[in-house]
Amino acid sequence: MSTSAPMLKVDGLVKRFGGVVALDGISFEIEEGSVHAILGPNGCGKTTLFNLIDGSLKTTAGRVEFDGHRIDGLSSSKIVRMGIARKFQVPGVFNDLTVAQNLEVALAGEDGRFGFLGLLLARPERVRRDRLAEVAGLTEKLEYAVAELSHGEKQRLEIAMLLTRNVRLLLLDEPTAGMSVTETEAIAELVCVLRDEHGLTVLVVEHDLLFVKTLGAPILVANDGKIIASGDYDAISQDPRVVQSYLGAAANA
Amino acid sequence: MKSKRRGLYATVAAWVALGILGLLFDGWLLSQMAIYFCYGMFAMGLSLIWGQAGILSFGQAIFFGAGAYGFALVTLNKIPGLGVSVAMGFVVAIVLATALAAVIASLTFAARGLSGAHFAIVTLCAAVVVETATTRSDYLGGYNGLFGIPPLSWNGTMIGDHALYYLMLSITLLAFLSVVAIIRSPYGTLLEAIRDNEHRVRHLGYVPHHLKSAAFILAGALSGLAGALFAAQFGFVSPSLLGFALSTQVLVWVAVGGRAVPMAAMLGALVVPGAENMLSNVLGDVWLLVIGVLFVAVVVAARGGVFGNLLRLPLPQRLRE
C-alpha cells in the first residue's frame, strides 16, 4: 500500500521482433485504484504491451515497475504472485473442466500454495468459490463443463478466476471481444465494481469504442507502438491525431 | 444423482469381484493373476500422468524395469553392504525408479520445457537407450538378465498362492486409493488444468513443470514398486522389462481400459494381458491383429476406453453445488 509509487509504471518500453518495432518507447503511469483503457487499432502493440508487463515476453529496452518494484525480466508465475492477473483475449478458461474446477484452479494457490504438497493438502474455501461464481453469474452452473458455456459466460468466468486474494492489478485484453451490446455493458459495469468494491486497479486494452466510452475511464490512445494521445473519451475523440489515425470514418459518421 | 454414483458402485463391485476371483482359482492361474496386479499398478501410474495430466510417455518401462532390477540386485546380493533383505530390495527398487524419474523429469520438463510429442519421443529414445545399455552390462546379466530371485516368504516359508494373491490385491488396492486421493485433491484438478491449457495455468501463478514433474516422479515410484513385486514373483528379470516394447504395451492396456480413470486403466492391464495369455495359444499371431484393431477402435471411437465411463467416480463433494 505504498502511496508514493504508482501501481504500474511503464517507462520507455521498446519491443522489437527482428526488424519490426512493435512498441516504440511507451511510457505511462497508473495510480492505485484507477481504471485506464488503452485504445488502439489491431496491430498497434496492445497485446505486446501486456505480454511485456506480465513476463510472457522479454523487453528490448525500457522498464516496468509494479508498486515501486521493477518486474521486467521476472517470470510470469512470479509476476502473477506479486498481484498482477491477466485476462486473455481468447478466454483463458479450462474447457474440459467444470466451472467449479476452474474456480478451484484459480483459488487453490491462494495464500502461496503453488507447490505440489500445498495443493495436495489444500482445501479451498467454499465461500470464496461461491462468491466468485456469483461475480461470474454462474452460481447455477457450477457443475457445467465450461465447454457448454456461452462466450460471454466464459469471459466473465475468466475475470472471476483472476480475483484471488492477492491480486491488485488486473490486465484485461479485449474483454468484450465477440460480445453483444448488452454483454459489453455488463462487463463495463463489472469492471467498475471491481474497482469500487474490490479496490482493484484495472488496465484494459480495447479497440471497441463503445466499451471504452461506456467504461468512462481515462484513455490512452496507441498507434504504431506509441501513445499518441490521452484524456477522457470526449477529449480524445476531438483530438485531430486520434481522429486521423484511429477513429477515422467512425468519428465523421 | 443416481447415475453419478454408478461409477462408485461399479468400482466397489469390481474390487469385490477381484476378491472373489481369488477364491475361484488356484495354482498356476492364480499366481499368474497375482503377477498381473503388478501390471495394474504400473498402469495406474501411467493413468496418473497420461490420463490426468496429459503427459504421454513412451518410457514408463524404464521405471518398472528399474524397480525389478533394483530388487533383483539386492536380493541376489549384488550390491555389497546392503545385505539381501527383501525390505531393502523394495527400498532400493523404489529409490532407483524415483531417482530415474526425477532425472528424466528434470532433463525434459524443467531444463528443456519439453511436452507433447517431443516429450514422447525423448522418453521413447530413453527406453531404447536403457534397454540397450542393460543388454551390454555384464553386471546386470546382459541379454539373459538375472536369475534366481528368491520368492516372497514369511518366517522362512514361501507365501502360498492364495495368500500371495490377496497380498497383491491389497497392495494394489492401497496404490489405487493413493492415486485416487491424489487426483481428487486440488493438485489433481491442477493436473487436469495443465492437460487442458498449460499456458493459462502458468498465468495463474503456478509453475506447470514443477507440478508435472511431481506427477511423473510419483508415477515412476509406483512403477518401481510394481516392478519389484513383479521380479519377486517372476523370479527373473531381463532387459525387455526396461524397454520400448513393454512401455508401448502398457500404453495399449491403459488406452483400452480407459486412461483417465485409474480403475479402468488398472483393469485394462489385467484384462488385456490376461486375454493375450489365453487367446494367443488359440489365435496365434491373429491375436496381435485383434489387439491392434481393439486399440484403433478405442482411440477412434471410445476415447474413454472400454471401462472408463462405467468406472468414472463422481466428482468430490467440494466440487459440487
Side-chain angles (χ1 to χ4, degrees):
Chain A
M1 283 290 163
S2 140
T3 47
S4 53
M7 178 96 313
L8 183 71
K9 181 177 173 186
V10 171
D11 190 9
L13 208 54
V14 176
K15 179 64 188 178
R16 277 189 222 104
F17 296 102
V20 181
V21 182
L23 290 184
D24 191 10
I26 280 196
S27 302
F28 62 86
E29 287 184 11
I30 289 177
E31 294 307 318
E32 181 162 12
S34 66
V35 174
H36 280 75
I38 297 184
L39 182 69
N42 283 325
C44 77
K46 299 187 304 275
T47 298
T48 302
L49 174 66
F50 273 11
N51 283 338
L52 295 175
I53 295 174
D54 85 346
S56 300
L57 290 174
K58 296 263 174 282
T59 58
T60 307
R63 56 194 285 152
V64 182
E65 283 176 23
F66 173 62
D67 197 20
H69 302 281
R70 187 165 183 177
I71 58 167
D72 54 282
L74 298 181
S75 72
S76 295
S77 18
K78 278 215 183 86
I79 289 172
V80 174
R81 290 180 201 187
M82 290 176 79
I84 300 182
R86 172 178 180 185
K87 194 215 156 302
F88 289 87
Q89 193 172 339
V90 177
V93 288
F94 304 105
N95 280 303
D96 295 349
L97 276 60
T98 65
V99 171
Q101 284 178 307
N102 270 265
L103 292 171
E104 175 161 290
V105 172
L107 292 173
E110 265 193 339
D111 311 324
R113 286 179 301 215
F114 289 99
F116 160 66
L117 265 185
L119 289 168
L120 194 62
L121 305 172
R123 287 294 174 268
E125 293 165 46
R126 224 183 157 112
V127 195
R128 298 268 303 131
R129 199 259 328 252
D130 292 344
R131 176 78 192 92
L132 294 192
E134 207 182 306
V135 172
L138 292 170
T139 304
E140 304 297 318
K141 295 190 171 178
L142 279 170
E143 291 187 49
Y144 278 54
V146 167
E148 297 169 24
L149 300 182
S150 75
H151 181 72
E153 286 173 323
K154 287 185 192 177
Q155 298 276 41
R156 289 184 75 98
L157 173 61
E158 188 184 9
I159 293 177
M161 285 168 66
L162 305 179
L163 305 180
T164 54
R165 253 197 273 274
N166 71 336
V167 67
R168 294 170 67 197
L169 171 64
L170 272 188
L171 306 175
L172 306 180
D173 194 347
E174 303 201 5
T176 64
M179 282 184 151
S180 70
V181 175
T182 343
E183 284 175 325
T184 300
E185 281 168 359
I187 292 283
E189 223 168 273
L190 175 60
V191 169
C192 295
V193 168
L194 296 178
R195 177 191 57 197
D196 301 336
E197 290 178 20
H198 296 248
L200 296 178
T201 312
V202 185
L203 179 58
V204 185
V205 297
E206 258 304 342
H207 65 241
D208 179 7
L209 274 177
L210 171 74
F211 176 67
V212 171
K213 191 179 177 186
T214 318
L215 205 55
I219 299 166
L220 303 160
V221 183
N223 197 26
D224 288 336
K226 290 193 187 82
I227 302 285
I228 57 167
S230 63
D232 63 11
Y233 181 81
D234 292 332
I236 63 125
S237 61
Q238 302 298 323
D239 192 309
R241 286 165 303 179
V242 178
V243 174
Q244 190 198 350
S245 69
Y246 178 70
L247 297 174
N252 299 333
Chain B
M1 269 297 134
K2 214 167 191 181
S3 68
K4 284 182 179 170
R5 310 204 80 176
R6 192 188 61 187
L8 180 61
Y9 298 141
T11 302
V12 172
W15 281 107
V16 171
L18 288 171
I20 293 171
L21 276 180
L23 302 172
L24 302 181
F25 298 100
D26 57 10
W28 181 80
L29 193 59
L30 193 66
S31 60
Q32 212 45 36
M33 286 159 61
I35 286 183
Y36 288 156
F37 281 122
C38 302
Y39 294 153
M41 276 183 260
F42 185 28
M44 284 192 283
L46 182 60
S47 164
L48 174 65
I49 58 168
W50 188 28
Q52 194 75 11
I55 303 166
L56 176 57
S57 164
F58 271 92
Q60 287 310 97
I62 294 173
F63 315 118
F64 187 83
Y69 270 91
F71 185 82
L73 289 173
V74 172
T75 51
L76 295 172
N77 201 14
K78 293 193 72 144
I79 305 180
L82 283 186
V84 291
S85 81
V86 167
M88 181 54 81
F90 282 114
V91 170
V92 168
I94 292 170
V95 167
L96 191 61
T98 307
L100 278 172
V103 168
I104 290 181
S106 66
L107 291 177
T108 53
F109 301 134
R112 310 291 311 162
L114 288 184
S115 58
H118 297 102
F119 180 78
I121 290 167
V122 168
T123 50
L124 191 156
C125 296
V128 172
V129 167
V130 171
E131 183 175 5
T132 309
T134 307
T135 58
R136 302 211 172 151
S137 159
D138 290 337
Y139 174 68
L140 297 174
Y143 273 110
N144 299 325
L146 300 169
F147 294 85
I149 299 159
L152 291 173
S153 55
W154 183 255
N155 285 338
T157 44
M158 214 177 109
I159 298 179
D161 293 339
H162 285 97
L164 190 60
Y165 180 86
Y166 286 105
L167 178 66
M168 287 303 299
L169 181 73
S170 313
I171 296 172
T172 310
L173 179 59
L174 274 179
F176 168 74
L177 294 174
S178 310
V179 171
V180 164
I182 290 167
I183 68 175
R184 290 170 73 80
S185 73
Y187 172 67
T189 311
L190 253 300
L191 290 182
E192 265 186 272
I194 287 172
R195 184 186 70 202
D196 191 332
N197 187 347
E198 185 167 339
H199 175 71
R200 174 78 262 190
V201 171
R202 184 174 303 114
H203 284 273
L204 288 169
Y206 302 95
V207 185
H209 73 75
H210 286 168
L211 301 178
K212 283 161 70 177
S213 297
F216 193 72
I217 291 167
L218 284 170
L222 183 55
S223 306
L225 171 66
L229 288 164
F230 180 89
Q233 292 174 78
F234 206 64
F236 105 90
V237 295
S238 68
S240 67
L241 291 181
L242 289 150
F244 164 62
L246 182 61
S247 295
T248 314
Q249 274 174 298
V250 70
L251 279 169
V252 173
W253 303 337
V254 168
V256 169
R259 68 187 198 212
V261 179
M263 188 63 190
M266 208 267 299
L267 285 185
L270 300 188
V271 170
V272 177
E276 181 175 353
N277 208 333
M278 281 188 278
L279 297 179
S280 60
N281 292 332
V282 187
L283 296 174
D285 286 345
V286 179
W287 162 253
L288 286 175
L289 196 63
V290 171
I291 185 69
V293 169
L294 187 59
F295 180 63
V296 171
V298 163
V299 169
V300 174
R303 305 205 61 181
V306 176
F307 308 115
N309 289 331
L310 179 66
L311 295 166
R312 181 180 293 278
L313 294 173
L315 283 173
Q317 191 59 43
R318 67 169 198 283
L319 290 172
R320 311 229 209 112
E321 273 170 32

